Amino acid sequence: MDFKDKIAQLCLEKYSNLKKTGKPTEKEWTILSGVVLEDNLNNFKVVSLCTGTKCLSGKELKNTEYCNLGNKLNDSHAEILTRRAFIRYLYHQILIAINEDKSEIFYLKERKIEMKDVNFHFFSSQTPCGDCSIIPKSKIDVSQSPPKKMRKSDKGSFEQEYGQEVEDIHRTGAKCIENGEQDKHGQGVDFHTVGPLRTKPGRGDRTLSLSCSDKMSKWNIMGVQGALLTLLIKPIHFKSIIIGGGCPYSLDSMERGLFKRFDPNTKAPVIKQSLMAFEHSKDGIRLRPCPSSIVWCDVPEKSLEISVNGLKQGATKNKKNTNLLRISRKELFKTFLGVYDQYSNSTEIAQHPKKMKYYQCKQYCVSYQNKWKSKEHIYPLWPAKPLHLKECLSF
């Protein structure tokens, strides 16, 4: 079996083996994403897997007090949930490395956590929303025929030739950020402007969450581990990104969306499309997005959770601040503090993080923050969320 199909098959099979709770009904669709571990013996296994299509609007965030506590997920697109579940898996493996020296991905060397000779591969059943989804339409299958040449007719628009004229482009619901270049909404290929940062669509109101194309481009530069984990481990990058079959796909659009529009010299993952399609993708029958999300990762305790509207399924009004998803900002910070208690070898934190708030603790990862600041020429318009949405209650 081809490598790209192997990665896709592992994720699709893992999904099929999960119970029905949280999966779409016969008229609903969703997106599936996963992270696959490859060890030094070329053994593969899924370590995180999520579904999801929803994102809270800016209005919902302003009117929901517990979003400010780090209890509610702002962005529940499958790709974003999968990364959060993957981070939870990484914390678990760090604890195993510290306490048992039996982690499948980490080992201790002179009291420092090092990565074994392993790789991680990212799968998504659909092209990421945003710039990656602005794909040329032509009379031939662009996913099977590489472009002969790209010609930019003017700034922010394109015409791509695949041996014949491009008729139109696939559209994305993600909107250009307010202080950036805007879509032209013209005819055919002139409808979208390619390149700008975009925010996800959200029930009629603009969201505060950037598109999956934008967020994944940041992972490609900064690593998927985030600032807190950078205090403990070196950055982790996906070796490959595999897109499922049956959806619009263009390698050129993927490369543009993930790195070429920002920094063509960035080391890029291998990007391919599998022939294997996801059974619950949008089609002529499945027209409604599934309201729930499946969140799974390879950990022994509560490996599977269901999320609805950014909260754990079944969370009542009285328990909305206590019965939390393990991948919420508050719970992941709590997990970090627990890991840090057992491994306090970082020289970057001047005081114990329990005395800090979440956002303050992230700023103490100097290497991560300096690297992000050095990329301001790449992401000059990257919007910052209000501080209250980047915080959570301290412990």
Side-chain angles (χ1 to χ4, degrees), residues 116-388:
K116 292 183 178 180
D117 184 18
V118 299
N119 292 305
F120 294 102
H121 307 275
F122 186 84
F123 169 79
S124 186
S125 63
Q126 185 169 303
T127 305
C129 66
D131 208 76
C132 290
S133 292
I134 303 176
I135 299 170
K137 288 183 179 180
S138 67
K139 294 180 180 180
I140 62 175
D141 185 355
V142 299
S143 67
Q144 303 301 320
S145 302
K148 290 187 176 181
K149 64 179 179 178
M150 162 78 83
R151 182 172 74 250
K152 289 193 174 182
S153 56
D154 53 55
K155 184 180 179 182
S157 65
F158 64 89
E159 180 180 332
Q160 194 167 13
E161 297 181 359
Y162 292 86
Q164 62 186 65
E165 185 179 357
V166 171
E167 297 178 326
D168 201 347
I169 54 173
H170 290 278
R171 312 296 164 84
T172 177
K175 303 175 183 177
C176 297
I177 59 173
E178 293 179 325
N179 60 335
E181 193 173 1
Q182 300 299 304
D183 286 322
K184 298 177 180 178
H185 299 295
Q187 297 294 318
V189 296
D190 290 324
F191 183 86
H192 278 312
T193 298
V194 295
L197 297 169
R198 295 173 178 270
T199 55
K200 290 182 170 74
R203 289 193 276 192
D205 186 37
R206 180 181 287 270
T207 74
L208 301 181
S209 297
L210 288 182
S211 73
C212 289
S213 295
D214 298 324
K215 289 186 177 182
M216 290 174 68
S217 72
K218 182 177 179 179
W219 304 348
N220 194 46
I221 292 176
M222 304 297 296
V224 298
Q225 75 293 326
L228 290 182
L229 264 175
T230 307
L231 289 166
L232 302 174
I233 62 175
K234 294 178 180 178
I236 295 175
H237 297 84
F238 294 131
K239 185 175 182 181
S240 71
I241 295 176
I242 308 300
I243 303 300
C247 68
Y249 169 86
S250 162
L251 176 60
D252 183 82
S253 295
M254 286 290 295
E255 290 180 338
R256 181 193 68 233
L258 295 183
F259 66 95
K260 282 187 176 179
R261 59 185 169 139
F262 302 120
D263 185 358
N265 298 317
T266 298
K267 184 178 180 181
V270 174
I271 304 173
K272 293 183 178 295
Q273 184 178 34
S274 168
L275 297 175
M276 307 190 72
F278 179 43
E279 60 182 308
H280 290 156
S281 292
K282 187 176 183 179
D283 58 25
I285 298 176
R286 298 181 179 277
L287 298 175
R288 297 197 306 266
C290 181
S292 57
S293 296
I294 292 172
V295 179
W296 178 89
C297 60
D298 188 17
V299 297
E301 183 181 1
K302 295 186 178 180
S303 60
L304 177 64
E305 296 182 298
I306 308 300
S307 171
V308 179
N309 199 33
L311 290 171
K312 189 173 181 179
Q313 187 180 53
T316 64
K317 186 175 181 180
N318 294 333
K319 294 183 178 180
K320 65 187 180 183
N321 293 334
T322 57
N323 189 21
L324 305 180
L325 289 164
R326 297 299 179 95
I327 62 167
S328 66
R329 190 187 325 139
K330 184 174 181 178
E331 285 296 305
L332 285 179
F333 186 39
K334 184 178 179 180
T335 301
F336 165 77
L337 295 174
V339 172
Y340 191 85
D341 272 342
Q342 299 187 49
Y343 176 77
S344 55
N345 195 39
S346 173
T347 59
E348 295 195 63
I349 296 184
Q351 56 180 307
H352 195 285
K354 280 192 176 181
K355 298 179 181 179
M356 303 180 193
K357 291 185 177 181
Y358 172 78
Y359 181 73
Q360 182 187 12
C361 192
K362 289 178 65 174
Q363 303 312 302
Y364 267 77
C365 183
V366 178
S367 60
Y368 186 93
Q369 300 302 336
N370 285 346
K371 186 174 182 180
W372 178 243
K373 290 176 182 177
S374 72
K375 298 298 180 182
E376 288 182 350
H377 67 286
I378 298 174
Y379 300 114
L381 300 178
W382 191 281
K385 290 181 180 177
L387 182 58
H388 68 275

Side-chain angles (χ1 to χ4, degrees), residues 28-39:
E28 294 176 341
W29 63 275
T30 192
I31 298 172
L32 175 72
S33 293
V35 175
V36 175
L37 165 67
E38 177 189 9
D39 67 18

